[in-house]
Amino acid sequence: MCRLDELGFGFVLTRVGVTTRMVPLNDLRKQYEELASEIDSAVSKVLHSGWYVLGEQTLAFEEEFAAFCGSGVGCVAVANGTDALELVLRSVGVDAGTEVITAANAGGYTSTACMAIGATPVYADVDEAALGLSPACVATALSDRTRAVVVTHLYGIVGDIQAVKSVVPAGVSVIEDCSQAHGGRGAGGRVGTLGDAAAFSFYPTKNLGAAGDGGAIVSKAPLILETARRLRQYGWVRRNEACLTNGRNSRLDELQAAVLRVKLPHLDRWNARRHAVAVRWRESLGDRLSFVQPSSTRPTQDVAHLCVARHAERDRICASLRDRGVQTAVHFPIPDHQQTAFAASSRCAGSLAVAETACAEVFSLPCFPQLDDRELDIAIAALGDLV
Ligand SMILES: Cc1ncc(COP(=O)(O)O)c(C=O)c1O
């Protein structure tokens, strides 16, 4: 999924053969350099401790991240966001033969988790403006096999969990996929506390990213947390005593936990900068180009994981931007129901026309906390020339 592009080592060879700096989609080296001495010393401390898996750093990170999300919240750190989705689904009772309602334009991560479980993803269409799961479409996708609905806070735009909760019957869990929305707020608190339980990814490009893979499950429900805690380590109830089937090894390591602890206190500030960058894009070009943006009628704090625009000639625009030195990416080009891996083992609940059109039109623009105003001006001017 063109991840290397997103890491932002963006240089381009121009037609005259001179190498110039691209305006990158992301620049993780800049983020590291901002906190280099703190990160280096945290990493060194772990290396010198001689304790590398499930130790004091992971425990402390779990506490700090839970407190960041809200009061009464618990956190179980795991190896990556896809595992977090799978384990949280298993922890709320999703098993083989049951159904999970989700959107088809959110990258396929929930579908991947369902495939591992043997559950059936059921795709419901999304709302036109923010491209999040439509509560009305969720209502029509329910069946007596539905065990959970996964709402992805796509691009950092907080989904309408309240409205989804209001259409699902008791016994169907509402799970948030917060992998693109760390720190965002909806009515009632931060993401991760709005549904029954939540999954986070700490992939390096995320709003809160490790120096490698990482993930977490967050919930206020002790039983969900305890089940996830057991599943992430062989199904053990205590050392060498396995009580749950489908356990595995999915642990966040101490180095990643230490890096995440250094970055967490900076998350709200970084999110504010992401948001300001997205607002600049929209204010500069919103009269000429359509942007995926939060609804103006529902108060949320959008954390602009990505700044996403839409255009029927998306591929031409992205190619021209690349020629002008501006990096873009597509999140995501192929809807899940059209993916070979999922097509035969999933179900579409009615038309998915909004999701399909979105996949053909969306493109992501440079939007990250360390993007400076000069780079942003260059990128806005380049896109302005094309639309
Ligand atoms: C919305 C969403 N969910 C889940 C994931 C999966 O996370 P990971 O790559 O850590 O497995 C990602 C990340 O890539 C994501 O963007």
Side-chain angles (χ1 to χ4, degrees), residues 1 3 6 79-85 106-110 152-155 177-180 199-206 212-215 305 331-332:
M1 230 158 255
R3 286 249 169 116
E6 291 171 37
N80 57 67
T82 312
D83 279 3
L85 278 167
Y109 306 102
T110 296
T152 301
H153 300 303
L154 193 66
Y155 311 144
D177 182 351
C178 306
S179 299
Q180 301 192 358
F200 287 83
S201 164
F202 303 122
Y203 182 76
T205 57
K206 302 305 186 197
D213 278 313
H305 173 59
H331 300 90
F332 298 93

